[in-house]
Amino acid sequence: MVDGVGQEQPRSANFGPLYEGPPIIEVRDLGISYGGKPALRDASFDIYRHEIFGIIGPANSGKTSFLRALNRMDDFTTGMEVRGSIHINGKDVNDWRNLYALRSRIGVVFPLPVGLPLSVYDNVAFSPRLRGIRGKAELDEVVERCLTRAALWDEVKDRLDSLGSLLSGGQQQRLTIARALSQEPELLLLDEFSIAVDPVTTMRIEDVLKDLRSELTIVLVTNLVQQARRLADRTAFFLTGEVVEIGATEDLFKRKVQDERTTGYLEGRFG
Amino acid sequence: MDRRDLAWYVDKTAQWVIFAGGISAIVFIVGIFIFITKEGLDFVLGPLNLGEFFTSIAWRPTSNNPTYGALALIVGTASVTGFAMLLSVPLSLGAALFIAEFATGKTREVLKVLVEMLAAIPSVVWGFVGMSIMHPLIMRIFDVPLGLGVLNAGLILGLMAAPIMTTIAEDALKAVPDAYREAAEALGATRWEVIFKVVIPASRNGLLAAVLLGVGRGFGETMAVLMASGHAINIPTSPFDSVRALTATIASELGDTVRGGDHWGSLFTLGILLFVVTFVINLTADIVVRGIRKK
Amino acid sequence: MEAPMFSATPLNRRSYRSQSVAKAVFCLMTVALVIPVLLILGTLVVKGAPAISWEFLFTAPTNNLTAGGIFPALVGTIWLVVVALLASVPVGVAAALYLSEYAPDNLLTRAINLAIVNLAGVPSIVHALFGFGAFVLFFRFNASILAASLTLAVMTLPVVIVATRESLQAVPHAFREACWNMGATRWQTIRKVVLPNSISGILTGVILEVSRTSGETAPIMFTGATAYLAFLPESVFDQTMAMSYHLFYIATQATDVPEELTYGVALVLIAIVLMMNAVSIAFRIYLRGLKKW
């Protein structure tokens, strides 16, 4: 259970600001389709600074598509079309001419772990180097800090020059998280990060995520309902491209829901 | 300008450079057409008599009263290519079937490497083989006065065109899903029946493309045909007759022509003919192959 | 073949027999293709080997090409190959990068692919005509190493493009996405992850191109190759001797050339070509065994 938030708040899609300041992400009438086949329809909601925003839902409900739209992967994906708008920090993501600058502020962890075929060290130093950090000492510090946070340092500290792509699946997943952290992102997107990771490590990473909340905003897509319950301040339920419900996680799990389907999913009746 | 913007500009520049490289093949193929047409145009619009070109066998560009009948050259190319295909198509398809359907493990690897090496032998070496090994051999075996001709060039060309046909045919056979074979075998079909009633029909477009590309290869071959065909203007009546190919004519005569003259233009006109025919062959093969991919 | 699990029915036996017959027939056809080639190679080795010596490789021909060695032709072939590579590898790699990393599935991409197939399929003598018209005359390079090499470069461009594209596409797409997600530009992704992991595959293609380029004759006949040169070329604007053209010339044009000498030239040429080819194939097989992800 997450402390101090969402205890007795009203619940609705128009949930009032839980946190100080304007939302970091404003989604308006967002529609995503692949070659004409819709993946997400009419999504409108806000995500606030320093919250962990959970997204749950069965497969093919548009969760991953939403993450891909956030860092404009549609530009590099043939057939992917995005309508509506997404504002990050008040600026429409489509207004970024240099979309690489946008992406560098967003850390992403996708379900299939990808260790780049570079050394473990270079994997984590990749993004800092893009930012222009060249000093060995500084890079060493970033690499160690990020690997430690991703609960991987102890396992790889003696073989930082082995290929990242040859680590075990679980290690590669944590390497991916370390890489995302090395971007020093404002926004961290996690897509079912625990699929390839054992339960003990998952718990360690979850602890790290809770700590990170003070520094950045996290969007957590998960197929584990209990993981959303453990981590997320608010949770959205996506179903076949529709945003069915958004509310404080507490409320959802207390069955204070607007839509019966949410209860059905949470109780495991489908999905 | 910060580092991010710099990276953005570098990226845009790289994209344009790479795009320029990307269309290079188109630039060159169009360039080839433009340049050979440019040199041949004066002849095509001037002295060329299409009737004479396609029906007369009198290719006498250097006589006082020059005639440009390319029929013998066309027949020469066709006879050599045809003879080569007669030999090469069955052998190549058979070899492709063996490699794709029967050979396994090491045998398969070795055969594939051998076929690839076969493709690597330069055409001038093949021509030399035709002149110095096949030529006396044909004279001895068939007791004929000259061993350079349709038979010699056809044999050489057949061996030259075989690797490309084998490779592409094998790819086509490999593309037939194993499920088809298993289904047919489960119904009690013999291996022979599986191959002829299932595998070959399923891959016929690919096999056709293989044959087309083989024909293209034979049709455009220059040095080997020049050296092994006897290079005499002649309509062949037997496999031992000497012939002259379109390609070989250009290779042997271009060095002696005056730039801009009729002879010069006539050779570039032969080049245009060669270009157009191979273009059509390749285009057809491409469409045929695309046909299977769509399915 | 697996041992029969149950006793064979007549149908099984018929099937087995038909399979053996089919196998034998196709095996024979394969052998019919391979045997003549091995015989030819054997003859070249037997007849050409006596001519080969250090002196043969490292001296110039004498007495109207009827004696002496092949040194200028060897050096000329190296010139031609190197200049052709310098021209075609950058362009070919760029073309492959475009096709593999950028090209959308549209008409232009189809046209590019068709152009590549055609570039490989156009007869070599037509390439020669193009090289003569474009490089020798239009760009006024005259008959020179430069003109000949550029002609060869255009002709062998498809070899580089196809090999490079294949090795670029062997790099999993997920690596690219991982880099993009970190804010790397397409170019940074290509330079830091895609190219380093396909460079050996590209090298395989380049070696294959060396093999192709060094054996070609028709494209260089009118664009820069010459039958005899008393000196070695000093710049790309000189004409040059070349192994392939040398073989053609002494086999067809020169008179009284001893048979052994011609066989020797043929043997050296084919040795260069096949060795390069073998290196390329071996390298490819070695790379296949190397696991990087």
Side-chain angles (χ1 to χ4, degrees), chain C residues 144-169:
Chain C
S144 62
I145 291 176
L146 185 61
S149 289
L150 290 178
T151 312
L152 287 169
V154 170
M155 183 169 170
T156 52
L157 194 61
V159 179
V160 193
I161 297 180
V162 170
T164 305
R165 181 174 52 185
E166 239 168 58
S167 61
L168 290 174
Q169 283 171 346

Side-chain angles (χ1 to χ4, degrees), chain C residues 41-284:
Chain C
L41 287 182
T43 315
L44 286 182
V45 170
V46 170
K47 292 206 177 182
I52 313 280
S53 64
W54 286 114
E55 205 195 334
F56 181 70
L57 295 176
F58 292 109
T59 59
T62 51
N63 294 346
N64 282 330
L65 306 176
T66 57
I70 53 170
F71 188 59
L74 270 177
V75 172
T77 291
I78 293 171
W79 267 95
L80 289 170
V81 169
V82 168
V83 177
L85 286 185
L86 288 178
S88 67
V89 171
V91 178
V93 170
L97 277 172
Y98 178 73
L99 289 171
S100 147
E101 309 294 316
Y102 291 89
D105 187 11
N106 62 13
L107 216 61
L108 178 69
T109 307
R110 258 198 87 172
I112 292 175
N113 282 315
L114 187 64
I116 292 169
V117 173
N118 265 295
L119 217 47
V122 166
S124 55
I125 192 67
V126 175
H127 279 285
L129 290 178
F130 163 67
F132 196 36
F135 302 126
V136 175
L137 301 175
F138 186 77
F139 291 108
R140 297 175 193 283
F141 297 151
N142 298 324
S144 62
I145 291 176
L146 185 61
S149 289
L150 290 178
T151 312
L152 287 169
V154 170
M155 183 169 170
T156 52
L157 194 61
V159 179
V160 193
I161 297 180
V162 170
T164 305
R165 181 174 52 185
E166 239 168 58
S167 61
L168 290 174
Q169 283 171 346
V171 178
H173 189 71
F175 292 158
R176 296 175 177 88
E177 287 219 348
C179 288
W180 296 339
N181 279 326
M182 283 192 284
T185 63
R186 273 179 190 272
W187 173 242
Q188 285 167 333
T189 305
I190 290 169
R191 194 165 52 84
K192 296 193 173 175
V193 173
V194 180
L195 275 184
N197 284 290
S198 47
I199 197 78
S200 21
I202 297 173
L203 202 58
T204 314
V206 171
I207 302 170
L208 195 64
E209 197 200 352
V210 171
S211 161
R212 272 287 303 280
T213 311
S214 45
E216 282 299 337
T217 315
I220 61 173
M221 281 172 81
F222 310 111
T223 52
T226 184
Y228 179 73
L229 208 60
F231 53 90
L232 294 177
E234 278 162 7
S235 83
V236 292
F237 297 104
D238 288 339
Q239 290 200 348
T240 182
M241 291 181 72
M243 284 301 294
S244 55
Y245 187 64
H246 187 57
L247 174 60
F248 171 71
Y249 195 84
I250 61 174
T252 62
Q253 314 285 313
T255 45
D256 300 326
V257 181
E259 192 185 49
E260 187 190 88
L261 192 76
T262 326
Y263 275 99
V265 174
L267 182 59
V268 173
L269 177 58
I270 204 161
I272 296 172
V273 169
L274 288 189
M275 247 153 39
M276 279 298 167
N277 213 265
V279 168
S280 168
I281 293 172
F283 197 44
R284 197 178 61 211

Side-chain angles (χ1 to χ4, degrees), chain B residues 152-231:
Chain B
N152 192 334
L155 285 173
I156 294 282
L157 211 52
L159 288 174
M160 289 182 77
I164 188 172
M165 284 198 273
T166 308
T167 310
I168 294 180
E170 195 228 326
D171 285 348
L173 294 170
K174 275 278 145 206
V176 177
D178 274 340
Y180 287 22
R181 297 184 181 84
E182 282 155 19
E185 271 169 13
L187 293 173
T190 64
R191 196 67 173 273
W192 190 263
E193 286 166 341
V194 170
I195 288 172
F196 277 89
K197 295 192 177 146
V198 178
V199 177
I200 292 182
S203 57
R204 67 172 182 280
N205 279 10
L207 299 181
L208 182 62
V211 172
L212 277 173
L213 290 174
V215 171
R217 179 83 208 270
F219 179 82
E221 177 46 46
T222 309
M223 301 313 289
V225 178
L226 171 64
M227 294 163 82
S229 67
H231 204 55

Side-chain angles (χ1 to χ4, degrees), chain A residues 2-252:
Chain A
V2 180
D3 330 72
V5 281
Q7 301 294 343
E8 291 299 325
Q9 301 283 352
R11 52 182 159 73
S12 82
N14 302 317
F15 198 79
L18 260 175
Y19 308 94
E20 296 300 314
I24 181 168
I25 303 176
E26 296 158 84
V27 180
R28 293 294 173 266
D29 304 322
L30 182 69
I32 302 172
S33 57
Y34 293 94
K37 260 184 64 186
L40 187 66
R41 291 185 304 272
D42 304 326
S44 297
F45 53 88
D46 294 334
I47 296 173
Y48 293 93
R49 251 168 240 290
H50 301 300
E51 76 169 330
I52 297 182
F53 187 82
I55 300 178
I56 56 173
N60 296 322
S61 50
K63 309 181 303 261
T64 303
S65 302
F66 171 60
L67 296 192
R68 293 177 70 87
L70 272 182
N71 69 348
R72 278 185 61 192
M73 264 305 160
D74 53 311
D75 283 37
F76 286 8
T77 314
T78 43
M80 181 172 171
E81 297 147 49
V82 176
R83 291 176 312 281
S85 72
I86 301 175
H87 286 75
I88 296 183
N89 283 333
K91 184 173 174 183
D92 192 323
V93 289
N94 283 309
D95 289 347
W96 289 76
R97 186 190 59 161
N98 182 352
L99 69 106
Y100 308 107
L102 166 71
R103 285 185 189 150
S104 66
R105 299 181 182 198
I106 304 177
V108 192
V109 178
F110 280 118
L112 286 178
V114 178
L116 292 174
L118 305 168
S119 73
V120 170
Y121 186 96
D122 288 341
N123 261 278
V124 185
F126 191 97
S127 171
R129 281 181 178 139
L130 291 184
R131 287 202 300 276
I133 298 176
R134 286 278 176 271
K136 174 97 175 67
E138 202 177 346
L139 283 175
D140 285 351
E141 188 272 323
V142 173
V143 169
E144 176 167 354
R145 175 162 47 85
C146 295
L147 283 172
T148 308
R149 281 191 141 174
L152 187 59
W153 175 253
D154 291 336
E155 288 167 50
V156 298
K157 66 180 176 214
D158 299 323
R159 46 187 183 119
L160 287 174
D161 50 0
S162 56
L163 276 182
S165 48
L166 293 182
L167 296 177
S168 75
Q171 288 172 330
Q172 284 195 42
Q173 188 60 290
R174 282 173 281 157
L175 183 63
T176 315
I177 294 171
R179 254 187 358 228
L181 295 177
S182 76
Q183 293 171 241
E184 296 179 355
E186 282 175 59
L187 191 59
L188 182 60
L189 313 180
L190 296 157
D191 191 355
E192 304 186 355
F193 73 88
S194 51
I195 273 186
V197 188
D198 64 274
V200 177
T201 315
T202 303
M203 295 313 285
R204 286 169 68 188
I205 297 173
E206 286 186 7
D207 289 339
V208 172
L209 294 180
K210 285 179 203 160
D211 291 344
L212 282 172
R213 204 160 47 134
S214 60
E215 297 166 33
L216 43 80
T217 310
I218 297 174
V219 179
L220 172 75
V221 166
T222 178
N223 55 348
L224 305 172
V225 171
Q226 292 309 317
Q227 189 172 58
R229 185 174 198 173
R230 285 194 296 271
L231 291 175
D233 303 313
R234 288 190 306 146
T235 296
F237 172 49
F238 284 23
L239 181 64
T240 57
E242 186 189 345
V243 182
V244 175
E245 181 110 19
I246 296 178
T249 308
E250 251 339 82
D251 290 350
L252 291 189

Side-chain angles (χ1 to χ4, degrees), chain B:
Chain B
M1 184 161 73
D2 82 352
R3 169 167 287 277
R4 285 264 140 228
D5 285 328
L6 179 67
W8 188 82
Y9 283 110
V10 172
D11 183 60
K12 283 289 156 206
T13 314
Q15 185 169 348
W16 282 109
V17 172
I18 288 170
F19 179 75
I23 56 170
S24 61
I26 295 184
V27 170
F28 288 131
I29 208 78
V30 171
I32 289 174
F33 186 71
I34 289 176
F35 273 99
I36 58 173
T37 311
K38 176 171 155 279
E39 301 294 336
L41 200 62
D42 282 345
F43 178 79
V44 173
L45 298 179
L48 176 67
N49 175 341
L50 273 182
E52 178 190 71
F53 189 77
F54 284 112
T55 57
S56 160
I57 62 163
W59 180 263
R60 293 196 202 96
T62 51
S63 87
N64 287 334
N65 184 15
T67 54
Y68 300 95
L71 181 64
L73 313 180
I74 295 170
V75 171
T77 289
S79 60
V80 172
T81 308
F83 199 90
M85 291 304 122
L86 228 51
L87 167 85
S88 180
V89 169
L91 285 186
S92 307
L93 296 188
L97 276 169
F98 182 73
I99 294 173
E101 302 289 317
F102 294 99
T104 49
K106 275 265 186 300
T107 327
R108 203 179 126 78
E109 285 298 309
V110 169
L111 283 175
K112 285 183 77 123
V113 167
L114 274 178
V115 169
E116 210 170 313
M117 297 287 243
L118 185 57
I121 299 176
S123 69
V124 66
V125 172
W126 280 116
F128 174 67
V129 167
M131 287 179 68
S132 54
I133 301 179
M134 308 277 280
H135 174 48
L137 212 60
I138 290 173
M139 286 199 291
R140 196 150 12 105
I141 294 175
F142 298 100
D143 193 25
V144 286
L146 184 69
L148 299 174
V150 177
L151 176 67
N152 192 334
L155 285 173
I156 294 282
L157 211 52
L159 288 174
M160 289 182 77
I164 188 172
M165 284 198 273
T166 308
T167 310
I168 294 180
E170 195 228 326
D171 285 348
L173 294 170
K174 275 278 145 206
V176 177
D178 274 340
Y180 287 22
R181 297 184 181 84
E182 282 155 19
E185 271 169 13
L187 293 173
T190 64
R191 196 67 173 273
W192 190 263
E193 286 166 341
V194 170
I195 288 172
F196 277 89
K197 295 192 177 146
V198 178
V199 177
I200 292 182
S203 57
R204 67 172 182 280
N205 279 10
L207 299 181
L208 182 62
V211 172
L212 277 173
L213 290 174
V215 171
R217 179 83 208 270
F219 179 82
E221 177 46 46
T222 309
M223 301 313 289
V225 178
L226 171 64
M227 294 163 82
S229 67
H231 204 55
I233 296 177
N234 186 20
I235 301 278
T237 52
S238 99
F240 304 106
D241 284 355
S242 285
V243 289
R244 199 183 221 209
L246 290 162
T247 50
T249 305
I250 304 176
S252 65
E253 293 180 5
L254 188 69
D256 305 327
T257 57
V258 184
R259 185 184 178 203
D262 286 348
H263 189 188
W264 161 276
S266 71
L267 294 180
F268 275 89
T269 305
L270 295 184
I272 297 171
L273 179 67
L274 286 168
F275 181 88
V276 170
V277 172
T278 42
F279 193 91
V280 169
I281 290 176
N282 285 315
L283 188 65
T284 315
D286 184 67
I287 291 169
V288 166
V289 168
R290 212 161 274 276
I292 17 176
R293 281 209 205 110
K294 284 255 166 68
K295 264 192 275 168

